[in-house]
Amino acid sequence: MDASKPTAQVVRAGVERVCAEFDSRIAAHDFTRMSARLWSRRIGERLELIHFHRAGGSYGAPARASVEIRVAFATRPADARGPLILNGPSSDRLRSADGRAYHLRFNALTWSTFERCVDDLVRVALDHGLPWFAGQGGMAEDC
């Protein structure tokens, strides 16, 4: 990554790269990328959704090249309209089987810990998202 680029461009490129890498790995589980940071798969009349939120993304231009991602899960009827409600677990409260927090950040300028971040994004989805989806066979009326 070119160090002369503004931090916002560096972070944007980093987010796109991590999303593309996640996309290539989660596709094996029938998820497709719906938008910049949203993946879905259809199970019958239900959509199962994985959403990434970049920490600090709503506070203007980033001050650092560090990218931190929160993963959230949701289900909704496939024909639902309106805003997406993230009604499932979120990575900020999840731990690995051995009790450790997931490493969901990297430096978009140096790519330090990038592979570890991608590995843990996939692990969060497989270890927590897929089991949660499996338990959501019936849809709540307000979803």
Side-chain angles (χ1 to χ4, degrees):
M1 182 64 56
D2 183 353
S4 67
K5 285 186 178 179
T7 304
Q9 287 181 337
V10 170
V11 168
R12 189 176 311 114
V15 170
E16 177 53 36
R17 182 176 168 194
V18 79
C19 288
E21 188 69 28
F22 179 81
D23 185 48
S24 71
R25 295 192 196 182
I26 203 67
H29 299 278
D30 299 323
F31 283 90
T32 58
R33 196 167 174 185
M34 293 179 64
S35 65
R37 295 180 307 238
L38 182 66
W39 292 262
S40 72
R41 72 177 178 184
R42 187 175 180 143
I43 304 294
E45 297 303 312
R46 176 181 63 159
L47 286 181
E48 298 177 340
L49 302 151
I50 301 171
H51 180 265
F52 285 3
H53 173 79
R54 181 180 67 82
S58 60
Y59 300 112
R64 304 178 331 250
S66 181
V67 174
E68 184 175 349
I69 297 172
R70 184 184 67 205
V71 183
F73 304 99
T75 59
R76 69 189 283 175
D79 61 355
R81 300 288 179 254
L84 173 62
I85 298 169
L86 299 173
N87 56 5
S90 174
S91 61
D92 53 351
R93 296 187 181 105
L94 302 174
R95 297 289 181 261
S96 65
D98 60 6
R100 295 186 205 168
Y102 293 96
H103 187 90
L104 304 180
R105 66 184 179 281
F106 66 95
N107 185 303
L109 186 60
T110 65
W111 302 108
S112 174
T113 70
F114 178 80
E115 287 300 323
R116 181 178 176 193
C117 178
V118 174
D119 289 345
D120 275 4
L121 288 166
V122 173
R123 285 181 44 220
V124 167
L126 300 181
D127 295 351
H128 298 281
L130 295 187
W132 183 76
F133 292 140
Q136 300 301 305
M139 293 297 300
E141 290 183 21
D142 62 343
C143 290

